[in-house]
Amino acid sequence: MNMRNTLTCLAAALLLMQGCASNKTENKYVLNGQLTGIPDGMVKLQRIDQTERKSITIDSVQVQNGKFTLEGDLSAPEMMTLMIEPGNWSTTFFMEPGTLQFEADTTGATHYDYTAYEGEKGAVLTKFNVKGSQNQAIYNAFENHPKSVAAKEVYTALNKKYEAEPNPEGKEAIRGEMSTFGEQHKVWELQCIDSLIQAHPSSVAVAYLLQRYQQFNEALPVSDLEKRVARLSSPAKESAYAKELQDVIVIKKALLPGQEAPNFKALKTDSTEFTLSALRGQYVLLDFWASWCAPCRKAIPHWKEVYAQYHNKGLEIVGVTNDSRWPDWFKALDMEKMPWLQVADDFPVKNRPARIATLYDIPSLPTYVLLDKAGKILVHTTSKEDIDAELKRIFN
């Protein structure tokens, strides 16, 4: 991104902020709402609990003639959900102490139906406006930037193209297009976030944008993430988003090269127990994969060659499947006939990532972790080329 784009991002944030009249009184908030298309019902203000992956209602009130007012206490700015029933109309925006004005129109809402997956029907409001929230203004500057808007249009077009493509090979090619475009766009995203950190280091919205970026781009080096978090100031640095990033930094530092790999136990295909530490004295490659992961399956012939080349020299491979259904795992094993150890990850908390994958901070599948004979981490990567280079260094 050139300097003109950076300044455009900043200018948009500053321009929007000029129209914000927060009228803050300690930690009190007043949210006055006007709904077009929803004359009556119940409106609920909900906190998003990322740990439990559920919404918690903190305030509610009746809608009368399309109007409502919510009043209460809020200690810090926070991204929240406004849910209107019946109909499950919803949208998310930044709440913060002060007097805020919310206006929404049901026209153009995005409808969804998850009843086939034991979910609900509802609609996401796309036409809404929030006045009085400086954090929402900064968030809007990012989301409404021409590059952000253009990227959403590209992703929408590629998704439609993917759904319409009948051939698996064609779908894989479109996935490649998505990946290539995503890599290019995330460079701009991070540079824009950097400009916002510089201009508004105390903004909770900036901490939120950084946390969201990291969540979907976990390959960001931990040293780079740590530098960005260190630039945040109060109240952003005390926000839940900054605290989550601090937790991420601790986890990622514990998995850097030279650190001892977390030990774990898991069940093998015959339901007997495997313990990672039992392989001390050998080089170990942990292959995090799943039967449904096309890139994982595509890489298997390569790892068969690697296993044949290095196994007798002291390399063991352990496949750690992310399959929650063992029949799918067994079917893939029968088809692929991998000659190395295979164990199953497990899911102790419903709707949460698998236990061992969480322990090893696995960003996506496939991911590979290479350990030395002492059980220390040599490489933690999504690239098989990184593993190949390290194995060549060790054994050749």
Side-chain angles (χ1 to χ4, degrees), residues 39-58:
D40 52 50
M42 175 70 72
V43 62
K44 298 179 179 179
L45 184 62
Q46 299 180 329
R47 173 171 286 117
I48 306 167
D49 188 330
Q50 296 291 354
T51 303
E52 298 295 329
R53 295 198 174 184
K54 64 181 182 181
S55 296
I56 301 171
T57 299
I58 65 169

Side-chain angles (χ1 to χ4, degrees), residues 107 121 131 164 208 214 285 297 302 313:
T107 305
K121 291 182 180 181
K131 297 179 181 178
Y208 171 84
Q214 188 281 324
L285 174 61
R297 303 285 289 269
H302 173 76
K313 295 181 179 181

Side-chain angles (χ1 to χ4, degrees), residues 68 80 104 108 193 209 370:
F68 67 87
M80 291 189 171
I193 291 171
L209 287 169
L370 182 63

Side-chain angles (χ1 to χ4, degrees), residues 86-118:
N88 289 330
W89 304 91
S90 68
T91 193
T92 58
F93 62 92
F94 263 99
M95 279 291 297
E96 60 184 69
T99 300
L100 285 69
Q101 305 293 328
F102 176 87
E103 297 177 355
D105 190 333
T106 58
T107 305
T110 302
H111 293 264
Y112 59 86
D113 185 352
Y114 298 143
T115 53
Y117 307 98
E118 300 182 359

